[in-house]
Amino acid sequence: MKTVQDINFKDKKALIRVDFNVPLDNAFKVTDATRIEAAKPTIVKILEDGGSCILMSHLGRPKNKENEFSLKHIVETAAAVLGLSVLFVNDCVGPSAEAAVANLNPGEVLLLENLRYYKEETTGDLGFAKQLASLGDVYVNDAFGSAHRAHASTTIIADYFPENKCFGALLASEIFNLEKVLGASQKPVTAIIGGAKVSSKITVIENILDKVDHLIIGGGMAFTFIKAQGGQIGSSLVEDDKQALALQILKTAKEKGVEIHLPVDVIVADQFSEFASTEISPIHEIAEGWMGLDSGPQSNSNFASVILKSKTILWNGPVGVFEMELFSGGTISLGNAIAEATQQGAFSLVGGGDSVAAAKQFNLSQKVSYVSTGGGAMLEMLEGKTLPGIQAILD
Ligand code: AMP
């Protein structure tokens, strides 16, 4: 696996696909710079070698060239994070981009305008990829969050750099850390899959059954399993058409020797609201009109004891409606157990949109071994897929 560490960038112009698709507020100020910070090690390495960096990214989903999606809004934050000035050019291909690149000196950083101002980016257009490729000497892919898309700048472009392409430090560490979980030698391995729906995580669960010793299933998706087993779940979230599949998953898990842990009790509420009345209920006997919105104390304790005896832990998805304080206890308890296991030497990886948000909200990011930056990309890797953006560098 060739990474930025394997190349000397002296006097080279590195064309780096970064993921600067960051959230902006109404005044176009960056509200969370995590993704920019994540790209810093790659940029620093190239500059320290005596090279220059041409950064390309998408931002949002522009239809035309709307100002709100301009990467010029990112320049100030990128400069602050990198601790140097960041040049900007208001196009990503064509004469102005080419002129800006021609004037770029070693030690300088140039940010190109939003790649998705051109529909050719997402269609993976060869001509567009070739135009982009003409800007740099070496292609570096450091955009894990976009590695599951076969877009011009993430995948197609790599063909124009048969010898001069590599993984950025972030993408390399994402692959390394996920591999540590998926190819784990440190057993027991526990995966915690939570979140709203089974349907969005079926392929993940099926693939993960070959890799884990324990599977904790929590959050809204647990109720489809409980109902399929004949439980009374009140008005909890359920996907009736996935009940047969839930039973099949339980059967496969048994055949493979994977222990499945479902909640045994839940915090039930009389409405989906921060102001609801709540009670603790056995998960198989939820009264009509009540819905389970968080895992209960016995479940939390069961989950913690599984986690504390694990050596490798993967966490994707909250076990309750953690956005509301009233229903955040289960997710906090789970996160704390993962933090404790990590402190005792386990390797823990948190990934996929909402669990990363939960880890941040409850100050757990520093207490787990690795927090993945890619939502969809991470899920596709957990599904066992080879991501096109990764394959393109390996080819
Ligand atoms: P996902 O995007 O599939 O990981 O789902 C995350 C969402 O699941 C979060 O917004 C949670 O609020 C939600 N969630 C977790 N537990 C429950 C539950 N018991 N009932 C309804 N939604 C839930």
Side-chain angles (χ1 to χ4, degrees), residues 194-197 200-201 219-220 223 237 272 292-294 316-323 354:
K197 293 181 169 177
S200 61
K201 310 253 170 106
F223 298 104
L237 198 67
F272 190 86
L293 294 181
D294 195 11
N316 174 273
V319 293
V321 184
F322 74 98
E323 298 93 334
D354 276 314

Side-chain angles (χ1 to χ4, degrees), residues 89-155:
V89 57
N90 62 355
D91 209 342
C92 60
V93 287
S96 54
E98 284 160 18
V101 166
N103 289 326
L104 193 66
N105 296 307
E108 291 182 336
V109 178
L110 170 70
L111 176 63
L112 305 179
E113 183 54 286
N114 196 341
L115 292 160
R116 289 202 191 161
Y117 275 0
Y118 291 85
K119 67 172 183 345
E120 289 84 352
E121 161 64 357
T122 46
T123 57
D125 184 78
L126 278 177
F128 180 69
K130 192 174 178 185
Q131 270 186 290
L132 287 171
S134 72
L135 300 174
D137 303 315
V138 182
Y139 170 64
V140 181
N141 190 352
D142 211 17
F144 180 60
S146 303
H148 57 315
R149 313 226 185 265
H151 292 172
S153 71
T154 61
T155 303

